[in-house]
mmCIF file of all heavy atoms in Angstrom:
data_model
loop_
_atom_site.group_PDB
_atom_site.id
_atom_site.type_symbol
_atom_site.label_atom_id
_atom_site.label_comp_id
_atom_site.label_asym_id
_atom_site.label_seq_id
_atom_site.Cartn_x
_atom_site.Cartn_y
_atom_site.Cartn_z
ATOM 1 N N GLN A 1 46.360 123.733 -89.974
ATOM 2 C CA GLN A 1 47.763 124.121 -90.078
ATOM 3 C C GLN A 1 48.682 122.920 -90.286
ATOM 4 O O GLN A 1 49.704 123.021 -90.961
ATOM 5 C CB GLN A 1 48.186 124.864 -88.803
ATOM 6 C CG GLN A 1 47.326 126.065 -88.458
ATOM 7 C CD GLN A 1 47.422 127.162 -89.501
ATOM 8 O OE1 GLN A 1 48.473 127.368 -90.108
ATOM 9 N NE2 GLN A 1 46.325 127.875 -89.705
ATOM 10 N N VAL A 2 48.348 121.777 -89.680
ATOM 11 C CA VAL A 2 49.258 120.639 -89.680
ATOM 12 C C VAL A 2 48.465 119.358 -89.433
ATOM 13 O O VAL A 2 47.395 119.379 -88.815
ATOM 14 C CB VAL A 2 50.343 120.823 -88.583
ATOM 15 C CG1 VAL A 2 49.740 120.739 -87.187
ATOM 16 C CG2 VAL A 2 51.478 119.818 -88.725
ATOM 17 N N ASP A 3 48.972 118.236 -89.956
ATOM 18 C CA ASP A 3 48.442 116.897 -89.647
ATOM 19 C C ASP A 3 47.009 116.663 -90.101
ATOM 20 O O ASP A 3 46.290 115.858 -89.489
ATOM 21 C CB ASP A 3 48.531 116.618 -88.136
ATOM 22 C CG ASP A 3 49.900 116.096 -87.715
ATOM 23 O OD1 ASP A 3 50.752 115.900 -88.604
ATOM 24 O OD2 ASP A 3 50.119 115.900 -86.515
ATOM 25 N N VAL A 4 46.554 117.295 -91.178
ATOM 26 C CA VAL A 4 45.194 117.034 -91.644
ATOM 27 C C VAL A 4 45.019 115.567 -92.013
ATOM 28 O O VAL A 4 43.923 115.002 -91.882
ATOM 29 C CB VAL A 4 44.834 117.947 -92.827
ATOM 30 C CG1 VAL A 4 45.644 117.582 -94.073
ATOM 31 C CG2 VAL A 4 43.331 117.882 -93.121
ATOM 32 N N VAL A 5 46.095 114.904 -92.459
ATOM 33 C CA VAL A 5 45.996 113.494 -92.833
ATOM 34 C C VAL A 5 45.694 112.610 -91.623
ATOM 35 O O VAL A 5 45.236 111.478 -91.777
ATOM 36 C CB VAL A 5 47.293 113.010 -93.515
ATOM 37 C CG1 VAL A 5 47.493 113.717 -94.842
ATOM 38 C CG2 VAL A 5 48.504 113.199 -92.618
ATOM 39 N N LEU A 6 45.959 113.121 -90.424
ATOM 40 C CA LEU A 6 45.715 112.338 -89.216
ATOM 41 C C LEU A 6 44.404 112.710 -88.531
ATOM 42 O O LEU A 6 44.118 112.192 -87.437
ATOM 43 C CB LEU A 6 46.877 112.526 -88.230
ATOM 44 C CG LEU A 6 48.263 112.114 -88.731
ATOM 45 C CD1 LEU A 6 49.292 112.273 -87.619
ATOM 46 C CD2 LEU A 6 48.256 110.679 -89.236
ATOM 47 N N LEU A 7 43.611 113.577 -89.138
ATOM 48 C CA LEU A 7 42.370 114.011 -88.503
ATOM 49 C C LEU A 7 41.456 112.835 -88.151
ATOM 50 O O LEU A 7 40.924 112.789 -87.030
ATOM 51 C CB LEU A 7 41.643 115.015 -89.395
ATOM 52 C CG LEU A 7 40.275 115.493 -88.883
ATOM 53 C CD1 LEU A 7 40.402 116.145 -87.509
ATOM 54 C CD2 LEU A 7 39.631 116.448 -89.880
ATOM 55 N N PRO A 8 41.228 111.865 -89.043
ATOM 56 C CA PRO A 8 40.354 110.744 -88.647
ATOM 57 C C PRO A 8 40.889 109.985 -87.430
ATOM 58 O O PRO A 8 40.112 109.605 -86.543
ATOM 59 C CB PRO A 8 40.345 109.853 -89.895
ATOM 60 C CG PRO A 8 40.676 110.771 -91.017
ATOM 61 C CD PRO A 8 41.645 111.757 -90.451
ATOM 62 N N TYR A 9 42.198 109.785 -87.383
ATOM 63 C CA TYR A 9 42.786 109.099 -86.230
ATOM 64 C C TYR A 9 42.623 109.934 -84.971
ATOM 65 O O TYR A 9 42.270 109.404 -83.898
ATOM 66 C CB TYR A 9 44.258 108.818 -86.496
ATOM 67 C CG TYR A 9 44.973 108.154 -85.337
ATOM 68 C CD1 TYR A 9 44.701 106.840 -84.990
ATOM 69 C CD2 TYR A 9 45.912 108.863 -84.585
ATOM 70 C CE1 TYR A 9 45.356 106.229 -83.923
ATOM 71 C CE2 TYR A 9 46.563 108.264 -83.518
ATOM 72 C CZ TYR A 9 46.287 106.943 -83.196
ATOM 73 O OH TYR A 9 46.924 106.357 -82.136
ATOM 74 N N TYR A 10 42.853 111.239 -85.065
ATOM 75 C CA TYR A 10 42.684 112.109 -83.905
ATOM 76 C C TYR A 10 41.229 112.122 -83.430
ATOM 77 O O TYR A 10 40.961 112.154 -82.224
ATOM 78 C CB TYR A 10 43.133 113.531 -84.231
ATOM 79 C CG TYR A 10 44.630 113.708 -84.400
ATOM 80 C CD1 TYR A 10 45.149 114.762 -85.151
ATOM 81 C CD2 TYR A 10 45.530 112.835 -83.797
ATOM 82 C CE1 TYR A 10 46.526 114.935 -85.298
ATOM 83 C CE2 TYR A 10 46.901 112.996 -83.941
ATOM 84 C CZ TYR A 10 47.388 114.052 -84.694
ATOM 85 O OH TYR A 10 48.753 114.221 -84.830
ATOM 86 N N LEU A 11 40.280 112.114 -84.355
ATOM 87 C CA LEU A 11 38.869 112.089 -83.962
ATOM 88 C C LEU A 11 38.534 110.788 -83.239
ATOM 89 O O LEU A 11 37.807 110.779 -82.230
ATOM 90 C CB LEU A 11 37.973 112.257 -85.195
ATOM 91 C CG LEU A 11 37.963 113.651 -85.822
ATOM 92 C CD1 LEU A 11 37.194 113.630 -87.139
ATOM 93 C CD2 LEU A 11 37.348 114.676 -84.869
ATOM 94 N N PHE A 12 39.052 109.683 -83.759
ATOM 95 C CA PHE A 12 38.836 108.397 -83.086
ATOM 96 C C PHE A 12 39.420 108.426 -81.678
ATOM 97 O O PHE A 12 38.764 108.016 -80.712
ATOM 98 C CB PHE A 12 39.464 107.274 -83.902
ATOM 99 C CG PHE A 12 39.560 105.967 -83.159
ATOM 100 C CD1 PHE A 12 38.438 105.172 -82.981
ATOM 101 C CD2 PHE A 12 40.766 105.546 -82.616
ATOM 102 C CE1 PHE A 12 38.517 103.974 -82.276
ATOM 103 C CE2 PHE A 12 40.855 104.356 -81.911
ATOM 104 C CZ PHE A 12 39.724 103.567 -81.745
ATOM 105 N N MET A 13 40.652 108.938 -81.554
ATOM 106 C CA MET A 13 41.296 108.978 -80.252
ATOM 107 C C MET A 13 40.611 109.980 -79.325
ATOM 108 O O MET A 13 40.632 109.820 -78.103
ATOM 109 C CB MET A 13 42.779 109.324 -80.410
ATOM 110 C CG MET A 13 43.604 108.215 -81.066
ATOM 111 S SD MET A 13 43.537 106.630 -80.197
ATOM 112 C CE MET A 13 44.286 107.070 -78.627
ATOM 113 N N HIS A 14 39.999 111.022 -79.881
ATOM 114 C CA HIS A 14 39.242 111.980 -79.068
ATOM 115 C C HIS A 14 38.112 111.255 -78.332
ATOM 116 O O HIS A 14 37.908 111.452 -77.121
ATOM 117 C CB HIS A 14 38.678 113.080 -79.972
ATOM 118 C CG HIS A 14 37.893 114.126 -79.258
ATOM 119 N ND1 HIS A 14 38.468 115.255 -78.696
ATOM 120 C CD2 HIS A 14 36.550 114.225 -78.999
ATOM 121 C CE1 HIS A 14 37.539 115.993 -78.137
ATOM 122 N NE2 HIS A 14 36.364 115.398 -78.299
ATOM 123 N N VAL A 15 37.409 110.413 -79.063
ATOM 124 C CA VAL A 15 36.323 109.638 -78.451
ATOM 125 C C VAL A 15 36.899 108.603 -77.485
ATOM 126 O O VAL A 15 36.374 108.398 -76.382
ATOM 127 C CB VAL A 15 35.472 108.959 -79.543
ATOM 128 C CG1 VAL A 15 34.403 108.071 -78.916
ATOM 129 C CG2 VAL A 15 34.835 110.004 -80.446
ATOM 130 N N TRP A 16 37.982 107.944 -77.894
ATOM 131 C CA TRP A 16 38.595 106.903 -77.063
ATOM 132 C C TRP A 16 39.044 107.479 -75.707
ATOM 133 O O TRP A 16 38.815 106.866 -74.662
ATOM 134 C CB TRP A 16 39.775 106.288 -77.810
ATOM 135 C CG TRP A 16 40.399 105.127 -77.086
ATOM 136 C CD1 TRP A 16 41.407 105.166 -76.174
ATOM 137 C CD2 TRP A 16 40.041 103.751 -77.218
ATOM 138 N NE1 TRP A 16 41.719 103.907 -75.720
ATOM 139 C CE2 TRP A 16 40.898 103.023 -76.347
ATOM 140 C CE3 TRP A 16 39.108 103.061 -77.989
ATOM 141 C CZ2 TRP A 16 40.825 101.625 -76.229
ATOM 142 C CZ3 TRP A 16 39.035 101.669 -77.876
ATOM 143 C CH2 TRP A 16 39.880 100.981 -77.004
ATOM 144 N N ILE A 17 39.688 108.640 -75.744
ATOM 145 C CA ILE A 17 40.157 109.270 -74.505
ATOM 146 C C ILE A 17 38.975 109.619 -73.602
ATOM 147 O O ILE A 17 39.035 109.450 -72.375
ATOM 148 C CB ILE A 17 40.993 110.525 -74.826
ATOM 149 C CG1 ILE A 17 42.343 110.117 -75.423
ATOM 150 C CG2 ILE A 17 41.212 111.375 -73.581
ATOM 151 C CD1 ILE A 17 43.161 111.281 -75.946
ATOM 152 N N ALA A 18 37.886 110.097 -74.207
ATOM 153 C CA ALA A 18 36.693 110.423 -73.413
ATOM 154 C C ALA A 18 36.147 109.187 -72.702
ATOM 155 O O ALA A 18 35.616 109.282 -71.592
ATOM 156 C CB ALA A 18 35.631 111.037 -74.311
ATOM 157 N N LEU A 19 36.303 108.016 -73.332
ATOM 158 C CA LEU A 19 35.759 106.790 -72.754
ATOM 159 C C LEU A 19 36.727 106.103 -71.795
ATOM 160 O O LEU A 19 36.312 105.576 -70.756
ATOM 161 C CB LEU A 19 35.388 105.808 -73.882
ATOM 162 C CG LEU A 19 34.230 106.222 -74.795
ATOM 163 C CD1 LEU A 19 34.081 105.238 -75.936
ATOM 164 C CD2 LEU A 19 32.931 106.326 -74.011
ATOM 165 N N PHE A 20 38.019 106.106 -72.131
ATOM 166 C CA PHE A 20 38.975 105.262 -71.411
ATOM 167 C C PHE A 20 40.129 106.025 -70.764
ATOM 168 O O PHE A 20 40.989 105.420 -70.119
ATOM 169 C CB PHE A 20 39.533 104.187 -72.347
ATOM 170 C CG PHE A 20 38.478 103.312 -72.948
ATOM 171 C CD1 PHE A 20 38.090 103.469 -74.270
ATOM 172 C CD2 PHE A 20 37.842 102.341 -72.178
ATOM 173 C CE1 PHE A 20 37.102 102.666 -74.824
ATOM 174 C CE2 PHE A 20 36.859 101.527 -72.725
ATOM 175 C CZ PHE A 20 36.484 101.690 -74.052
ATOM 176 N N GLY A 21 40.214 107.330 -70.945
ATOM 177 C CA GLY A 21 41.267 108.104 -70.315
ATOM 178 C C GLY A 21 42.485 108.275 -71.209
ATOM 179 O O GLY A 21 42.546 107.757 -72.325
ATOM 180 N N ASN A 22 43.474 109.017 -70.683
ATOM 181 C CA ASN A 22 44.635 109.384 -71.507
ATOM 182 C C ASN A 22 45.943 108.796 -70.977
ATOM 183 O O ASN A 22 47.010 109.330 -71.254
ATOM 184 C CB ASN A 22 44.752 110.907 -71.594
ATOM 185 C CG ASN A 22 45.117 111.538 -70.238
ATOM 186 O OD1 ASN A 22 45.056 110.882 -69.203
ATOM 187 N ND2 ASN A 22 45.494 112.802 -70.259
ATOM 188 N N SER A 23 45.877 107.702 -70.240
ATOM 189 C CA SER A 23 47.119 107.055 -69.805
ATOM 190 C C SER A 23 47.837 106.451 -70.999
ATOM 191 O O SER A 23 47.239 106.220 -72.061
ATOM 192 C CB SER A 23 46.830 105.973 -68.772
ATOM 193 O OG SER A 23 46.180 104.866 -69.379
ATOM 194 N N GLU A 24 49.120 106.160 -70.825
ATOM 195 C CA GLU A 24 49.879 105.534 -71.908
ATOM 196 C C GLU A 24 49.233 104.226 -72.334
ATOM 197 O O GLU A 24 49.125 103.929 -73.532
ATOM 198 C CB GLU A 24 51.331 105.282 -71.482
ATOM 199 C CG GLU A 24 52.164 106.535 -71.289
ATOM 200 C CD GLU A 24 52.186 107.007 -69.855
ATOM 201 O OE1 GLU A 24 51.292 106.585 -69.080
ATOM 202 O OE2 GLU A 24 53.078 107.792 -69.506
ATOM 203 N N ILE A 25 48.817 103.417 -71.349
ATOM 204 C CA ILE A 25 48.209 102.124 -71.676
ATOM 205 C C ILE A 25 46.912 102.327 -72.444
ATOM 206 O O ILE A 25 46.691 101.717 -73.500
ATOM 207 C CB ILE A 25 47.964 101.304 -70.395
ATOM 208 C CG1 ILE A 25 49.292 100.911 -69.750
ATOM 209 C CG2 ILE A 25 47.141 100.056 -70.706
ATOM 210 C CD1 ILE A 25 49.149 100.184 -68.420
ATOM 211 N N ALA A 26 46.043 103.189 -71.932
ATOM 212 C CA ALA A 26 44.740 103.395 -72.564
ATOM 213 C C ALA A 26 44.886 103.868 -74.004
ATOM 214 O O ALA A 26 44.182 103.390 -74.904
ATOM 215 C CB ALA A 26 43.924 104.399 -71.764
#
């Protein structure tokens, strides 16, 4: 529906959040 151009970035951040959490700093 939206932001398909950001899918690779979202996928990277999906893995990053799983490893390091979702704080502002992380």
Side-chain angles (χ1 to χ4, degrees):
Q1 305 295 326
V2 68
D3 276 357
V4 68
V5 294
L6 300 184
L7 177 58
Y9 178 70
Y10 289 156
L11 289 172
F12 167 77
M13 291 302 297
H14 180 87
V15 176
W16 185 271
I17 289 172
L19 293 174
F20 302 104
N22 68 347
S23 70
E24 292 94 342
I25 294 176

